[in-house]
Amino acid sequence: MQQIHISNLKDYVGQEITLQGWLFNKRSSGKVRFVILRDGTGYLQCVFFKGNVSEEIFDSADKLGQESSIEITGKVKEEPRAIGGFELDSTDLKIIQASQEYPITPKDHGIEFLLDNRHLWLRSKKQVAIMQVRHRIIKAIRDYFDERDYTLMDPPILTPNAVEGTSTLFETPYFDLGTAYLTQSGQLYAEAGAMALGKVYTFGPTFRAEKSKTRRHLTEFWMVEPEVAFADLDDNMDIAEEFLEYIVQTVLEEKDEELKILERDTSMLQNVKRPMPRITYDEAVELLHKNGVEFEWGKDLGGTDETLVSNQFDKPVMVHRYPAEVKAFYMKRDPENNNLALALDVLAPEGYGEIIGGSQREDNLDELLDRIKEHNLPQDTFEWYLDLRRYGTVPHSGFGLGLERTVSWICGLDHLREAIPFPRMIYRNTP
Ligand code: 4AD
Ligand code: MG
């Protein structure tokens, strides 16, 4: 059977059709019953007039519980005042399953209750809108790279070594080989890919045993990581800003209905266009001092520091050249100042903080060996990575964009937990 969905109703005006879905809401007034049907692609007001349908159907339209699964037949009418702009003059209603006492009602529920019922909460109007925006962001990410000759390369998830520090590693026993770790980032493998294919990107789940309970941290999140051979830090910033502009402008154009459902004020998002401001870490520290923050040079920017810095701009700001001490082992030092790493963080406005982290990579074998020693990393598990510097090393750069941070920012959410279907956090791994 060819299914018809609410999103395609404009092609069926004046025709009698059958739709399948769930009862979202209902109301009655005298001789009319209204059932709001949802099918995942939209919402449709289905009208039942007494006399046009059997007594039995007319009664059941009134008695059905929220989220009952149903099939409705009727004639499609244009109705600008109704949700979605159409209405169904209904002639038949079949009940697939009559749902009773659906736990999530239009009243307010606490966040823990909603998270416990995430498998059902996903059906709510705002959650559906968030998942649709998330999907469109994922597509924009892939389109952006695919249209620019990048090759998607999938890195392993079970890995023998740390990428982003050893304090956030999830460990798992691995047969006779000892301990394996869930990947924190596909970057090191992306670097191997860039040497093979020139321009690559990885896109998949990454894991951090984050002990922090902030609204910006998940223990499992999705990251997209481009890596480009023969690219320096400036090239990296050019890519990052074009990429962000592409994602945000695409979503604004194509998901305005969903952003309205989310009551997102999009004025700041409209500004996400090139050129975006670029400031050094030193300049960021100066901004903090000017705003009365006692910030010690050399520390990493914390969440509140990032918010303060990004609030000085009306679009994402790129902060580059951080103290090497607070950054990862693989970052290249600034030839102008050995204390600095050629690092890049992009901070989103409106308090969303870091959405991108990246750098130019250390491409010199001896320097990289020193870094591995300084960071107390086991050299043997990095031999393959060192080979990339032994055999045809080139300057190269890349970054990682956190998908949930991006979804959260574009949708205007308070917390990352709503930006992913089933969030994993320090105190939650269900449902
Ligand atoms: O800054 P991070 O740690 O950088 C890397 O992993 C690099 N290896 C990326 C690269 O250069 N290829 O993480 C990158 C981004 C952050 O900017 C943030 O958006 C997101 O990943 N992120 C998290 N998102 C949710 N929960 C967490 N615990 C996150 N940690 C990082
Ligand atoms: Mg970072």
Side-chain angles (χ1 to χ4, degrees):
M1 185 188 76
Q2 208 211 325
Q3 289 188 336
I4 298 172
H5 287 116
I6 294 172
S7 56
N8 301 327
L9 286 181
K10 64 172 183 339
D11 300 333
Y12 297 92
V13 176
Q15 295 182 40
E16 174 149 294
I17 60 164
T18 298
L19 289 162
Q20 294 157 317
W22 296 264
L23 184 140
F24 182 69
N25 211 342
K26 62 171 193 220
R27 71 197 152 83
S28 302
S29 85
K31 294 189 161 74
V32 203
R33 303 271 179 268
F34 298 94
V35 168
I36 309 287
L37 178 78
R38 65 163 197 91
D39 73 351
T41 74
Y43 302 83
L44 175 66
Q45 173 160 286
C46 305
V47 191
F48 295 83
F49 289 102
K50 201 179 172 84
N52 282 6
V53 290
S54 70
E55 277 296 310
E56 200 192 338
I57 289 176
F58 193 74
D59 281 350
S60 58
D62 197 32
K63 290 197 191 102
L64 272 179
Q66 195 188 336
E67 287 304 312
S68 291
S69 41
I70 50 180
E71 199 175 280
I72 301 183
T73 301
K75 199 168 173 185
V76 183
K77 279 184 11 189
E78 269 176 306
E79 176 47 86
R81 287 167 304 176
I83 181 171
F86 297 97
E87 199 173 73
L88 199 74
D89 190 355
S90 311
T91 50
D92 199 8
L93 166 71
K94 281 202 189 89
I95 300 163
I96 299 164
Q97 190 244 338
S99 160
Q100 298 294 329
E101 295 178 38
Y102 184 69
I104 301 178
T105 58
K107 73 163 197 205
D108 274 347
H109 296 285
I111 184 67
E112 288 307 318
F113 176 83
L114 290 171
L115 284 168
D116 286 341
N117 287 285
R118 182 62 172 165
H119 51 294
L120 301 176
W121 187 26
L122 280 172
R123 302 181 189 189
S124 301
K125 201 169 184 181
K126 284 193 174 174
Q127 300 306 316
V128 167
I130 294 167
M131 289 306 129
Q132 283 168 345
V133 172
R134 177 182 165 105
H135 169 75
R136 192 62 192 83
I137 292 173
I138 292 171
K139 179 167 157 48
I141 287 171
R142 299 182 69 122
D143 287 347
Y144 177 85
F145 292 119
D146 293 349
E147 285 162 12
R148 287 166 185 76
D149 296 323
Y150 287 72
T151 303
L152 174 68
M153 206 190 75
D154 304 313
I157 285 175
L158 290 167
T159 61
N161 48 252
V163 189
E164 299 295 328
T166 48
S167 63
T168 60
L169 282 173
F170 276 112
E171 298 183 3
T172 176
Y174 197 83
F175 306 107
D176 295 337
L177 298 180
T179 303
Y181 307 99
L182 296 184
T183 188
Q184 298 166 309
S185 151
Q187 179 198 320
L188 306 188
Y189 297 96
E191 288 183 55
M195 300 305 132
L197 295 147
K199 300 203 283 189
V200 297
Y201 69 103
T202 67
F203 195 3
T206 48
F207 305 85
R208 308 266 169 110
E210 297 278 4
K211 310 238 163 42
S212 40
K213 258 179 71 179
T214 82
R215 63 199 183 92
R216 293 177 184 174
H217 288 96
L218 296 169
T219 55
E220 177 180 318
F221 62 98
W222 282 62
M223 184 163 33
V224 54
E225 299 181 84
E227 192 72 31
V228 180
F230 303 103
D232 64 14
L233 184 66
D234 287 334
D235 299 325
N236 213 17
M237 290 198 259
D238 292 344
I239 299 167
E241 66 176 0
E242 190 187 34
F243 179 51
L244 281 179
E245 174 179 324
Y246 181 82
I247 295 172
V248 172
Q249 297 307 322
T250 303
V251 173
L252 284 177
E253 259 168 50
E254 294 190 15
K255 289 288 154 195
D256 58 322
E257 283 302 321
E258 284 75 9
L259 294 176
K260 269 187 212 128
I261 290 172
L262 295 168
E263 296 165 48
R264 178 69 164 119
D265 172 356
T266 57
S267 47
M268 286 284 262
L269 294 173
Q270 308 283 351
N271 296 339
V272 184
K273 294 202 173 129
R274 286 166 292 167
M276 294 176 199
R278 300 177 183 197
I279 64 170
T280 60
Y281 169 89
D282 285 1
E283 287 165 335
V285 172
E286 231 169 83
L287 275 176
L288 289 173
H289 289 167
K290 248 189 230 154
N291 285 277
V293 181
E294 279 182 41
F295 185 90
E296 196 188 318
W297 193 99
K299 285 197 321 181
D300 203 358
L301 301 180
T304 50
D305 306 320
E306 286 178 359
T307 300
L308 202 148
V309 171
S310 61
N311 278 346
Q312 315 301 310
F313 303 91
D314 64 356
K315 50 171 97 173
V317 53
M318 309 206 231
V319 184
H320 57 93
R321 293 180 167 78
Y322 281 71
E325 283 275 299
V326 296
K327 288 291 182 186
F329 77 96
Y330 54 72
M331 292 188 181
K332 191 174 179 63
R333 296 290 170 99
D334 184 353
E336 312 273 305
N337 180 347
N338 197 47
N339 294 323
L340 300 178
L342 294 177
L344 159 71
D345 275 7
V346 182
L347 312 181
E350 301 174 89
Y352 284 93
E354 181 195 332
I355 46 170
I356 282 182
S359 73
Q360 185 168 337
R361 319 306 188 188
E362 184 50 74
D363 49 350
N364 177 282
L365 177 63
D366 295 329
E367 292 279 332
L368 189 56
L369 269 168
D370 286 348
R371 294 293 111 69
I372 287 175
K373 283 184 198 127
E374 282 164 25
H375 283 82
N376 288 321
L377 295 166
Q379 192 186 317
D380 55 334
T381 57
F382 286 96
E383 282 301 333
W384 70 268
Y385 184 65
L386 291 162
D387 272 354
L388 305 177
R389 278 73 182 167
R390 291 187 182 109
Y391 305 109
T393 189
V394 300
H396 62 289
S397 301
F399 61 81
L401 169 91
L403 177 63
E404 289 73 22
R405 296 236 183 128
T406 307
V407 172
S408 181
W409 163 47
I410 293 179
C411 290
L413 309 179
D414 300 335
H415 197 297
L416 249 51
R417 63 193 163 207
E418 286 182 59
I420 188 165
F422 293 95
R424 297 291 175 252
M425 295 169 288
I426 181 166
Y427 293 121
R428 177 174 293 280
N429 62 2
T430 54

